[in-house]
């Protein structure tokens, strides 16, 4: 009997020793591996320039960029003075950035609206900066622009609706007013710094596409936004929570105008520069995914992103969804309203602890408010940007 107990004890001692050794070896080998390769596959990129194009879900990307900048205490190239964009629609100049003369080439993040000008952007951003942008199907984009800029763009203002405008665009679109009409034709082409009224010439288009490929490391597609965020996460070596988002600056469905099949075809011709730009980079987007992530892994990660977003919506939002402008209780969180749109926003839960509240507030903060807030944080001695909105929280000055 004693012999059996002795053998059992010996066996247990041996097994416990084996597990300790196994764990010890694991820790040693893990540490050894960490000496050879970083714990993440690659270090997170923190010098990033995002060309914020119009009506392409780019306000949601800007929010992601701002939150990333705050999380890692990075410096953002913000619009100077009372501007809320970097000189747009003028072609970008380095002096449009607040304190550029003093800070020089030491900004980490640039993501407010600008009209791209590579030589001037390079004066502001470091040599190892990662450049990316986002495109959207021009058919959906033009309808969105029409409703959003209805009151500002002469070509839109004098037409009854989007289908009437597209039936005969040159009746409303006068080249002499091109500065006021930039949103009415090839707006993405314009944002990338090119002539949106240029002739649709194959050689010219190929040259522009090649130049964009040289200037930008990645072009995302708004129509596949979740897939775009996963590709961005992989390419920048960011965490999932770095690319998590609530959709911002979207509008209520009742303000969407239905395009006729004829109108959709007309957009392809009227905005042919944007259409060719989109087709080219939509192809390269999916090619990039297949080469780097694979469709099967992409689907898993997209599902994970959506689950995480749902969790955060349940944590943060009292309505579990975006609500119309008239239903936003905290007017400090009211997004800028434009044209005939009803830009949606969010109501936060009332009983959140301070840390959760701050996280949730940042996720739902509209573009103008977030720009103004970061400006106050980065440039406390400068006059705050006047938005005519109440402050978000009393500890704003922290």
């Amino acid at each position: 009997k004693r012999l059996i107990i002795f053998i059992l004890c010996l066996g247990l001692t041996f097994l416990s020793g084996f597990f300790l050794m196994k764990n010890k070896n694991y820790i040693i080998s893990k540490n050894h591996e960490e000496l050879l390769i970083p714990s993440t596959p690659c270090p997170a990129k923190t010098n990033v320039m995002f060309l914020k194009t119009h009506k392409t879900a780019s306000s949601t990307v800007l929010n992601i960029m701002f939150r990333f900048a705050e999380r890692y205490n990075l410096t953002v190239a913000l619009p100077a003075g009372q501007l809320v964009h970097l000189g747009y629609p003028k072609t970008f100049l380095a002096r449009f950035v607040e304190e550029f003369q003093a800070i020089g080439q030491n900004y980490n993040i640039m993501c407010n609206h600008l009209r791209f000008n590579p030589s001037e952007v390079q004066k502001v951003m470091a040599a190892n900066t990662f450049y990316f942008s986002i495109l959207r199907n021009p058919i959906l984009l033009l309808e969105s622009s029409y409703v959003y800029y209805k009151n500002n763009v002469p070509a839109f203002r004098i037409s009854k609706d989007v289908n009437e405008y597209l039936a005969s665009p040159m009746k409303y679109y006068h080249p002499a007013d091109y500065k006021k009409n930039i949103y009415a034709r090839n707006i993405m082409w314009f944002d990338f710094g090119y002539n949106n009224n240029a002739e649709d010439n194959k050689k010219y288009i190929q040259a522009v596409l090649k130049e964009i490929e040289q200037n930008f490391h990645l072009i995302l597609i708004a129509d596949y936004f979740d897939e775009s965020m996963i590709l961005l996460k992989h390419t920048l070596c960011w965490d999932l929570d770095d690319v998590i988002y609530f959709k911002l600056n979207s509008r209520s469905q009742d303000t969407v105008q239905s395009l006729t099949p004829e109108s959709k075809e007309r957009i392809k011709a009227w905005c042919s520069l944007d259409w060719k730009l989109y087709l080219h980079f939509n192809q390269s987007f999916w090619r990039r995914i297949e080469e780097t992530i694979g469709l099967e892994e992409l689907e898993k990660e997209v599902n994970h992103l959506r689950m995480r977003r749902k969790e955060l919506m349940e944590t943060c939002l009292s309505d579990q969804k975006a609500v119309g402008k008239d239903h936003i209780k905290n007017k400090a969180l009211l997004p800028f309203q434009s044209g005939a749109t009803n830009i949606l926003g969010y109501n936060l839960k009332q009983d959140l602890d301070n840390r959760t509240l701050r996280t949730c507030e940042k996720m739902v903060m509209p573009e103008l408010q977030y720009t103004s807030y970061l400006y106050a944080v980065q440039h406390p001695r400068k006059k705050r940007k006047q938005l005519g909105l109440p402050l978000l929280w009393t500890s704003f000055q922290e």
Side-chain angles (χ1 to χ4, degrees):
K1 210 171 185 179
R2 283 180 181 173
L3 186 63
I4 291 165
I5 292 166
F6 174 75
I7 290 164
L8 280 170
C9 287
L10 195 67
L12 286 169
T13 307
F14 171 76
L15 281 171
S16 64
F18 169 77
F19 283 120
L20 283 169
M21 279 176 68
K22 193 176 176 188
N23 287 339
K24 197 175 177 187
N25 286 339
Y26 172 70
I27 291 163
I28 289 166
S29 64
K30 190 169 182 251
N31 287 341
H32 182 61
E33 281 171 7
E34 282 173 358
L35 291 173
L36 299 174
I37 53 168
S39 55
T40 51
C42 48
K45 289 181 172 66
T46 52
N47 291 334
V48 184
M49 190 275 168
F50 169 59
L51 176 62
K52 187 179 189 297
T53 48
H54 285 79
K55 312 315 299 167
T56 56
S58 62
S59 293
T60 304
V61 180
L62 175 131
N63 181 273
I64 287 167
M65 301 297 292
F66 278 174
R67 283 186 286 118
F68 183 83
E70 283 204 271
R71 182 178 173 184
Y72 295 100
N73 198 26
L74 304 174
T75 306
V76 183
L78 291 166
Q82 292 301 305
L83 292 176
V84 291
H85 47 63
L86 292 162
Y88 194 90
K90 293 176 185 171
T91 301
F92 176 75
L93 296 172
R95 64 180 173 83
F96 296 155
V97 173
E98 185 62 72
E99 289 197 351
F100 165 68
Q101 303 296 347
I103 296 172
Q105 206 181 22
N106 290 310
Y107 295 91
N108 305 109
I109 302 289
M110 178 184 264
C111 56
N112 287 83
H113 274 307
L114 60 81
R115 189 175 184 214
F116 193 61
N117 182 5
S119 60
E120 287 290 307
V121 171
Q122 283 158 19
K123 290 179 185 176
V124 177
M125 302 304 289
N128 68 345
T129 295
F130 182 91
Y131 289 77
F132 80 102
S133 189
I134 190 165
L135 300 174
R136 184 184 182 188
N137 186 322
I139 295 169
L140 302 171
L141 189 150
L142 190 95
E143 183 278 329
S144 177
S145 289
Y146 185 92
V147 177
Y148 195 84
Y149 298 110
K150 176 74 172 159
N151 301 339
N152 306 92
V153 174
F156 293 160
R157 198 166 51 232
I158 55 179
S159 53
K160 188 183 68 173
D161 59 36
V162 69
N163 292 304
E164 183 182 276
Y165 169 69
L166 288 164
S168 182
M170 287 310 289
K171 183 178 169 185
Y172 308 102
Y173 185 95
H174 304 302
D177 281 339
Y178 82 94
K179 283 185 179 173
K180 294 177 185 173
N181 278 328
I182 51 173
Y183 303 105
R185 188 183 196 189
N186 295 312
I187 181 60
M188 295 188 292
W189 199 263
F190 182 87
D191 287 350
F192 274 87
Y194 302 101
N195 177 6
N196 60 319
N197 289 307
E199 195 183 328
D200 185 341
N201 172 290
K202 191 176 179 182
K203 195 176 174 185
Y204 165 68
I205 287 171
Q206 289 306 316
V208 167
L209 294 176
K210 190 178 178 186
E211 197 167 77
I212 292 172
E213 283 178 336
Q214 287 168 349
N215 287 330
F216 290 85
H217 299 96
L218 180 66
I219 304 289
L220 303 175
I221 302 294
D223 311 82
Y224 306 100
F225 195 79
D226 286 347
E227 292 83 354
S228 289
M229 291 306 98
I230 297 302
L231 182 57
L232 185 69
K233 175 182 88 77
H234 277 263
T235 314
L236 295 179
C237 297
W238 287 8
D239 295 333
L240 184 70
D241 272 8
D242 291 328
V243 297
I244 211 79
Y245 69 91
F246 296 157
K247 195 185 284 188
L248 296 177
N249 211 35
S250 61
R251 62 196 161 120
S252 59
Q253 278 302 113
D254 60 356
T255 65
V256 176
Q257 295 187 13
S258 295
L259 290 162
T260 64
E262 294 79 18
S263 289
K264 290 177 183 178
E265 288 307 309
R266 284 172 187 144
I267 290 170
K268 293 178 191 177
W270 174 241
C271 298
S272 64
L273 303 175
D274 270 4
W275 182 245
K276 282 164 186 173
L277 178 72
Y278 175 77
L279 289 180
H280 178 84
F281 284 104
N282 186 39
Q283 278 188 331
S284 66
F285 171 79
W286 288 106
R287 193 163 58 243
R288 182 83 165 259
I289 281 174
E290 284 174 6
E291 287 169 2
T292 57
I293 305 170
L295 295 175
E296 199 175 322
E297 178 62 23
L298 176 74
E299 191 181 354
K300 281 184 203 166
E301 293 201 39
V302 163
N303 287 336
H304 193 188
L305 176 80
R306 287 171 182 167
M307 279 167 57
R308 181 76 183 112
R309 183 170 65 236
K310 189 170 180 285
E311 276 174 25
L312 280 166
M313 290 186 103
E314 285 167 1
T315 301
C316 294
L317 307 179
S318 59
D319 308 281
Q320 305 295 298
K321 61 177 183 180
V323 297
K325 60 184 178 185
D326 298 329
H327 298 284
I328 297 167
K329 290 166 189 165
N330 182 353
K331 296 308 171 192
L333 292 173
L334 181 72
F336 177 72
Q337 304 292 321
S338 175
T341 56
N342 176 3
I343 302 297
L344 306 177
Y346 295 94
N347 288 318
L348 297 175
K349 284 184 175 174
Q350 295 296 304
D351 55 349
L352 300 172
D353 63 81
N354 282 344
R355 190 180 172 191
T356 308
L357 175 65
R358 192 61 64 95
T359 300
C360 295
E361 263 174 337
K362 297 290 172 65
M363 289 198 70
V364 304
M365 200 186 292
E367 178 180 333
L368 297 183
Q369 286 93 315
Y370 213 151
T371 298
S372 175
Y373 161 72
L374 275 187
Y375 185 86
V377 170
Q378 279 191 193
H379 309 288
R381 290 182 177 83
K382 300 272 182 182
K383 185 185 175 186
R384 184 172 287 153
K385 292 185 190 292
Q386 303 301 302
L387 301 180
L389 290 163
L391 294 182
L392 265 173
W393 45 71
T394 50
S395 55
F396 214 28
Q397 293 80 3
E398 282 177 9

